[in-house]
């Protein structure tokens, strides 16, 4: 296996671990975890795959009816 495949497997395992931990928490604990874990900067990154560099830039609607935090909390409360 290539390093990229090992990296993808590791990332998926971490996501599964986080999901398992969140599922065991109360709503209040999940919201507190989310507040502690928020990424404070714009979500932009680059990743090279097979010699091609992909750039991801996140854009958010400033006129949205809810903030990204409110949206995430709404989603977390549905769990």
């Amino acid at each position: 296996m290539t390093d990229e495949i090992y990296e993808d497997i590791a990332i998926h395992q971490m996501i599964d671990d986080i999901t398992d931990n969140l599922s065991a928490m109360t709503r209040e604990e999940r919201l507190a975890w989310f507040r502690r874990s928020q990424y404070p900067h714009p979500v932009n990154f680059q990743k090279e795959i097979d010699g091609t560099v992909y750039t991801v830039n996140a854009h958010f609607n400033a006129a949205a009816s809810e903030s990204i935090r409110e949206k995430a909390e709404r989603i977390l409360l549905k769990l």
Side-chain angles (χ1 to χ4, degrees), residues 2 9 11 14-16 24-25 39 62 65 71 73 75:
T2 66
I9 291 170
I11 290 169
M14 285 189 282
I15 291 170
D16 289 344
M25 293 179 189
Y39 191 75
S65 62
K71 182 175 280 199
E73 287 180 356
I75 292 168

Side-chain angles (χ1 to χ4, degrees), residues 24-73:
M25 293 179 189
T26 65
R27 288 181 179 183
E28 293 77 19
E29 290 170 332
R30 283 193 304 268
L31 290 172
W33 178 89
F34 177 74
R35 286 184 188 105
R36 288 189 311 271
S37 304
Q38 287 185 52
Y39 191 75
H41 305 288
V43 184
N44 302 321
F45 62 92
Q46 291 184 336
K47 180 169 179 135
E48 182 178 342
I49 302 173
D50 296 330
T52 301
V53 176
Y54 296 89
T55 301
V56 176
N57 294 304
H59 301 276
F60 300 97
N61 182 353
S65 62
E66 62 185 349
S67 69
I68 188 68
R69 179 179 179 173
E70 292 167 333
K71 182 175 280 199
E73 287 180 356

